């Protein structure tokens, strides 16, 4: 680590003191069974505070409010936020990470000047990568962007876009050319979600939540000035977007999973089953796995800091996290019994450890399916990390979406 | 399986397929009554069809396949208990129950009810469609009293259980000094009737779970055959094939165990053996159902996470089912109890 | 079933009474840690008794001693033998089932007259199908049989042949033609294991046992009269060999597994852990799975009796048996603790349920690898039973070996 | 990991690879002594290298990779305990232990020994290469006495444990009225030393298991890449790929947990936290090792069932290892004990 223990300790104390004073109180209660709108309100309020304090953008370069922090410091802030059990900034994640990092790495100076301050002020972004028939297979993207003079005309459909119904702008990956190899004909655009021809339809999830949405584009005009990178270079720009959070999300998620273990222990004890050796076995094994998940996430981040990341490293962490989370929620379901099946109210802004076990179980699939399914991660690990032979010619796999 | 069981099953499959997953509870109930399924196990002397538990379970399998929104398990349990009883009004009651005009609810989970001084107190969990029943069959936690309780009896409160699974429409019944309409059995007779009821409930729930597991696996395999990724149907990917093959072997095993157990109930007069077979069938069926739906959700990918797709209906039913009957962890332990000390 | 309960009951009583008087006593003790030779002696003695009583060949046609039994009666005899805990007739299985059924179905009258009485008298046969580089892939067989006048000259190597070191004859599948499709160039021969050029080398197994052997053929002459079926029709004849035991083995194995449950319960109780709910859970779940295995095996046999067998049915039973046996032995390993790791003596003639848990665990792989590995069974189930699409062209699978 | 740990690891890997799996115990021991590994953790004041548990575990990982037939874990545990003690002959003893001339055995499983009236009675399990040791470090089941016992003391009998794993050469020690050579600690001091010893033993066993799991997975992947079936290398079959990928993620997780736990022992002076980290590391490492070897045997097919192939050496080591230390089921339950009642 690049800092002395003292400096780290000081930052940790500063952040945790600030969090103590500023984290919204009792949000787990107020966000249970509430409407989407009041959740959005909570997110806005919490973002404004965090952003003003500079803790929302520690990963931005020096010169920006809060920016210039080392990756180790960023991790520290993420850890403290997780430990303080603050709501996850679901509404702003794409803006703060995906959009900002893409712009910082590949955007023009003009684009950076236009959007980065707006993001710090609370502009909401969504991601437009996934399509109904291209879940783990970016090469199959069909949304079209046809150049007509100074604009692109966009037609098509995106799906599984987080909170798109509240977004101002969209990071859009669209096809400008179908003639070459699939990855070559993609272009990366910044699309105004308020433009004519954009329709958003929230996806009704099995949990009753609707944090994802479909986006339909019907002859939407996007000025050429809103293109990031060259025409046809969208694939490379998208890699920058996907790499933007640099392992911090998994550090946060694994810390939150660890923080939630007492909730599971409480449930076991409340059921009067602390002396049931079958539950002790399961809980003990889970403890070790959760600790291992945190250790894996930390190690991965450390590799990124030191530039030692290898192919498949990210997949290992994601796969192990998703399997451990599944076991966590399965044990919850077991302990919760019939009673837990009768609790329908879900909690917004939490992750997968609300203590409503059937809900948590269902939400755990967000991590085994989205962001590169477990199956895609296994392909990557086997082929790129273990060097197992690829299947013949057209049996190809794609990094992740 | 006798030929008539096969015929019954084929007919039921047709009916359930025609109804579809979203069929209305009332319509389905009317159809179930019209088809004579409610008199399936009534003795021929009582104008029933005189068929047995294996036949009833063939229907449960089919209804489970279609997640039928109808309290058929509870209805048959109540009818069988009345058949076994010596109620004075037995004949009239059976006639109205068999026609579907009257429905008696039965808890599908264990009750926490005491019977003291002629009154019932406590909570009964998981009574399906209790709001449509005129009476509910309840029993004391000590297993020494089975009673019919009027749904509008003073001191009785209905509360919708509001489970994630909406196809069962379960209710909790809160009882405070509730005077039963009539007592069906006390003491040893109640014990014996409740052993029979629980055994039958285990088999019925096992059968529904086997049906549900079969159905969601078929749907998953069909989906994988259609859905293209990387230029091929997903069904062509060996890793997914192997997972489906494992699931198939588990579903077949649960089916075979259920059928073998039911054959035992028909031939043997050994109550303990039938009980044990019911425990094993319920345990394996629920383990299989939950495992199959968990895999099915993953194999469906994003589409399975949307409420427009049917996948979640099976998931929620399976999550609930493992906690019905005697409770999630009771089955393996009761089975082991026959062989191990101190259990 | 084709018989009345009374007739079945009478046969059952007859067989079980005979077994009570004739099953070798205390063979589990005497076969523990013993040499292969004394095991062979036990097998010979037990075979002579069983064969003389007609119980070794209930599956042979009417006219042969003990023959003409229905499949249901054969099953009953198998069940009783398993229940009586008699030693498995490992040394004679290939002769009684594979050889006899192949000869009865595809052999000439002359071949039948020559070999069937010898088999009833105790002639030992082995199977020569598997090769070092063709485990689950019969199409890759390389052992050659070149026709030279009235003989075939055999060269090559077979492996995993049970008890080949004691065999008089070998059921050999060899390649006579490499020009056509792989399955078309195979010929089926009855090879004299005492002929010049035959070398047998027992395979040293990880358990210390050596019940399998490699067979090397160096210019071995096999008369053309020892060919079963036409030249090049070996594939079809081999199918008759493989189908010969018609599900009876799995009935026997699953019954033996059920009979061994008390051994596991005793181990749990002996460890003073009957009240450990974790072990109760595992044992209860295992009970249900073992019962299900028996039910599956019975159902499969019933389907064969009624002619309702479908593709993949046999694979379901084998796969579920192998997985359940693995769990059985894993639970044994857990319960056995450190002490069980210190018991090296193995028991000959038993299956995978000797109560020596590490040994049983290792032997359980005989069923997940041999006779069509779990992986091959999964392919068959997925493609032939579930109808999942096959992989393109040359990605083929073979029934089983 | 400090640079020196990395260097140590790389050097050890080279040594172990050169030795191969079949290397002789005596030769390996001589090499271990020559390389200075026995003085690794001895304080520099005692002419040691002054390195820490993380460094020692880096070696255990490598020795575990190669299934080295050398009682290195026991040797380091004994040395550390002597270092912590205040024996008068401490300096001489450390010198002879560090040179490898003398070896003190330590039980790798729990003992059933009582210390009453100045004498030891009972059985100590799993002492590696006890026949090569001059003394054995033993303790009472009540944890209130640690002693050195001469291997030829009257009343002490050695019995080869004859485990399936032949690479550890474990012995049981039967004790009847054995008078110890010397007492290292009594009462609270013994308690504290034994907590330290068990914590270190857990980490050491975890490290060896992580090494073994890593090695057998590498070997399995290599085998799948070579072995052809149906005209392709087995490694190309997706179902096998996915299983290897799952194994890899588990091995990486066990490795990360081990390293994170060791980091905790170095920085924190919190004994309870280090103990807990050791429990978790041992639990996950053994679960992983057994699971990986079980899959490895299946993935190797028939060849893995022959004693000429190395697969079984890992299998037998892994089967044994899960029962060493505090015992198979103690780890999860002790970990849970911190959070759950009545444990």
């Amino acid at each position: 680590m690049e800092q002395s223990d003292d400096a780290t300790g000081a930052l940790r104390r500063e952040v945790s003191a600030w969090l103590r004073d500023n984290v919204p109180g009792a949000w787990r209660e107020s966000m249970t069974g509430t409407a989407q709108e009041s959740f959005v309100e909570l997110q806005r309020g919490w973002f404004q505070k965090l952003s003003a304090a500079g803790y929302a953008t520690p990963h931005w370069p020096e010169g920006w409010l809060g920016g210039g922090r080392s990756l180790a410091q960023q991790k520290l802030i993420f850890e403290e936020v997780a430990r303080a059990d603050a709501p996850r900034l679901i509404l702003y994640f794409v803006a703060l990470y995906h959009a900002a990092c893409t712009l910082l790495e590949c955007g023009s100076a003009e684009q950076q000047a236009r959007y980065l301050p707006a993001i710090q002020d609370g502009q909401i972004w969504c991601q437009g990568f996934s399509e109904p028939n291209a879940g783990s297979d970016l090469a199959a993207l069909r949304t079209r962007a046809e150049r007509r003079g100074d604009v692109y005309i966009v037609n098509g459909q995106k799906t599984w876009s987080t909170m798109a119904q509240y977004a101002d702008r969209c990071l859009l990956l669209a096809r400008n050319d179908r003639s070459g190899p699939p990855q070559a004909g993609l272009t990366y655009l910044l699309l105004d979600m308020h433009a004519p021809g954009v329709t958003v339809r929230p996806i009704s999830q099995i949990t009753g939540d609707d944090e994802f949405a479909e986006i339909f584009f019907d002859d939407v005009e996007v000025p050429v000035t809103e293109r990031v990178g060259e025409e046809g270079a969208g694939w490379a720009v998208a890699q920058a977007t996907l790499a933007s959070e640099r392992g911090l999300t998994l550090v946060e998620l694994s810390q939150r999973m660890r923080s939630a273990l007492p909730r599971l222990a409480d449930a076991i004890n409340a059921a009067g089953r602390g002396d049931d050796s079958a539950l002790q076995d399961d809980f003990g094994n889970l403890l070790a796995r959760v600790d291992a998940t945190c250790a894996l996430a930390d190690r991965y981040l450390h590799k990124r800091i030191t530039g030692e990341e290898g192919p498949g490293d990210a997949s290992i962490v994601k796969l192990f996290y998703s399997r451990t989370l599944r076991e966590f929620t399965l044990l919850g379901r077991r302990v919760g019994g019939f009673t837990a099946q009768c609790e329908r109210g879900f909690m917004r802004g939490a992750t997968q450890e609300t203590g409503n076990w059937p809900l948590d179980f269902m939400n755990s699939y967000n991590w085994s399916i989205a962001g590169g399914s477990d199956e895609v991660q296994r392909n990557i690990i086997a082929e790129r990390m273990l060097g197992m032979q690829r299947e013949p010619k057209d049996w190809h796999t794609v990094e992740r979406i | 399986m006798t030929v008539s069981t096969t015929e019954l099953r084929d007919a039921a499959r047709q009916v359930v397929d025609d109804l579809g997953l979203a069929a209305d509870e009332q319509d389905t109930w009317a159809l179930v009554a019209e088809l004579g399924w409610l008199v399936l196990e009534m003795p021929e002397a009582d104008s029933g069809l005189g068929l047995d538990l294996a036949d009833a379970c063939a229907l449960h399998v089919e209804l489970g396949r279609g997640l039928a929104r109808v309290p058929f398990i509870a209805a048959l349990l109540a009818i069988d208990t009345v058949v076994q009883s010596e109620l004075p009004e037995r004949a009239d009651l059976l006639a109205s129950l068999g026609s579907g005009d009257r429905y008696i609810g039965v808890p599908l989970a264990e009750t926490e009810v005491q019977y003291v001084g002629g009154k019932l107190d406590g909570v009964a969990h998981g009574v399906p469609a209790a709001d449509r029943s005129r009476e509910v069959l309840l029993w004391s936690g000590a297993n020494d009293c089975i009673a019919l309780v009027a749904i509008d009896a003073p001191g009785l409160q209905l509360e919708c259980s509001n489970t994630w699974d909406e196809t069962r429409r379960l209710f909790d019944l809160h009882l405070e000094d509730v005077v039963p309409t009539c007592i069906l059995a006390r003491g040893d007779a109640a014990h014996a009737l409740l052993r029979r009821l629980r055994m039958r409930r285990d088999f019925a729930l096992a059968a529904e779970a086997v049906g549900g597991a079969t159905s969601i696996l078929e749907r998953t395999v069909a989906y994988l055959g259609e859905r293209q990724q990387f230029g091929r149907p997903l069904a062509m990917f060996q890793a997914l094939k192997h997972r489906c093959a494992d699931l198939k072997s588990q579903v077949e095993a649960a089916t075979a165990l259920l059928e073998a157990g039911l054959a035992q109930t028909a031939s043997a007069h050994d109550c303990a053996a039938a009980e044990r077979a019911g425990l094993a069938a319920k345990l394996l069926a629920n383990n299989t159902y939950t495992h199959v739906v968990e895999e099915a959700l993953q194999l469906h990918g994003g589409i399975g996470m949307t409420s427009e797709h049917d996948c979640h209906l099976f998931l929620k039913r399976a999550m609930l089912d493992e906690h019905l009957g005697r409770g999630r962890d009771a089955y393996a332990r009761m089975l082991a109890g026959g062989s191990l000390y101190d259990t």
Side-chain angles (χ1 to χ4, degrees), chain A residues 273 276 278-279 282 329-337 357, chain B residues 322-323 328-329 333:
Chain A
R273 298 182 65 183
D276 185 326
L279 295 183
D282 284 1
T329 61
L330 275 170
L331 183 53
R333 253 175 58 189
R334 176 178 184 179
V335 173
W357 307 112
Chain B
E322 67 175 346
H323 298 290
R328 165 73 168 72
D329 287 338
R333 294 175 188 187

Side-chain angles (χ1 to χ4, degrees), chain A residues 204 206 273 365 368 395, chain B residues 229 232 294 298 307 316 329:
Chain A
S204 165
I206 64 177
R273 298 182 65 183
Y365 283 84
S368 61
W395 289 66
Chain B
Q229 206 147 29
R232 294 175 192 277
E294 284 155 24
Q298 181 69 23
S307 55
K316 290 169 180 172
D329 287 338

Side-chain angles (χ1 to χ4, degrees), chain A residues 7-170:
Chain A
T8 304
L11 178 61
R12 202 178 279 287
R13 280 189 298 278
E14 173 203 315
V15 176
S16 87
W18 184 88
L19 286 165
R20 220 170 13 250
D21 295 341
N22 288 280
V23 167
W27 64 271
R28 285 189 180 272
E29 290 69 35
S30 68
M31 286 299 111
T32 298
T34 188
Q36 184 83 276
E37 282 63 32
S38 66
F39 167 69
V40 169
E41 208 171 298
L42 173 86
Q43 289 269 313
R44 281 194 206 277
W46 172 230
F47 174 81
Q48 296 301 347
K49 279 196 194 176
L50 201 72
S51 183
Y55 295 141
T57 48
H59 57 299
W60 288 23
E62 199 130 20
W64 293 97
L65 172 64
R69 299 283 196 187
S70 69
L71 202 45
Q73 291 173 322
Q74 296 168 39
K75 178 186 171 219
L76 184 157
I77 294 172
F78 259 73
E79 279 174 353
E80 290 303 316
V81 168
R83 267 185 218 155
D85 196 28
R88 292 199 72 208
L89 277 178
I90 296 169
L91 196 58
Y92 296 91
F93 189 83
V94 173
L96 288 170
Y97 284 83
H98 294 166
C101 295
T102 305
L103 289 168
L104 286 162
E105 195 168 327
C106 310
S108 66
E110 193 268 331
Q111 287 169 338
Q112 292 178 6
R114 187 164 1 132
Y115 291 119
L116 292 176
I119 287 171
Q120 261 189 340
D121 283 349
Q123 190 177 57
I124 298 171
W125 288 62
C126 66
Q127 187 178 305
F129 284 14
S130 287
E131 294 188 8
N133 288 303
S136 296
D137 181 10
L138 278 194
L141 289 185
R142 279 191 274 188
T143 294
R144 299 187 312 282
E146 284 171 66
R147 176 79 177 260
R148 247 184 251 162
D150 286 349
V151 297
Y152 289 95
I153 309 296
V154 175
N155 280 285
Q157 179 187 353
K158 294 288 176 182
T159 192
W160 296 112
S161 185
T162 305
M163 298 275 167
Q165 56 269 52
Y166 299 99
D168 302 306
R169 293 267 154 183
C170 174

Side-chain angles (χ1 to χ4, degrees), chain B residues 59-124:
Chain B
L59 293 183
H60 292 314
V61 168
E62 297 309 317
L63 292 170
R65 282 177 69 96
L67 302 175
R69 295 165 193 241
V70 69
F72 189 57
I73 290 181
L76 287 197
L77 290 174
I79 289 170
D80 181 72
T81 307
V82 172
V83 164
Q84 302 294 320
S85 79
E86 289 165 11
L87 273 187
E89 63 272 36
R90 188 176 171 286
D92 286 351
L93 189 51
L94 286 180
S96 64
L97 290 171
S99 68
D101 292 344
R102 191 159 171 169
Y103 158 65
I104 295 179
V106 176
L108 296 187
E110 286 300 308
T111 64
E112 300 159 22
V113 175
Q114 295 87 43
Y115 180 67
V116 181
K119 291 173 176 175
L120 293 163
D121 278 278
V123 190

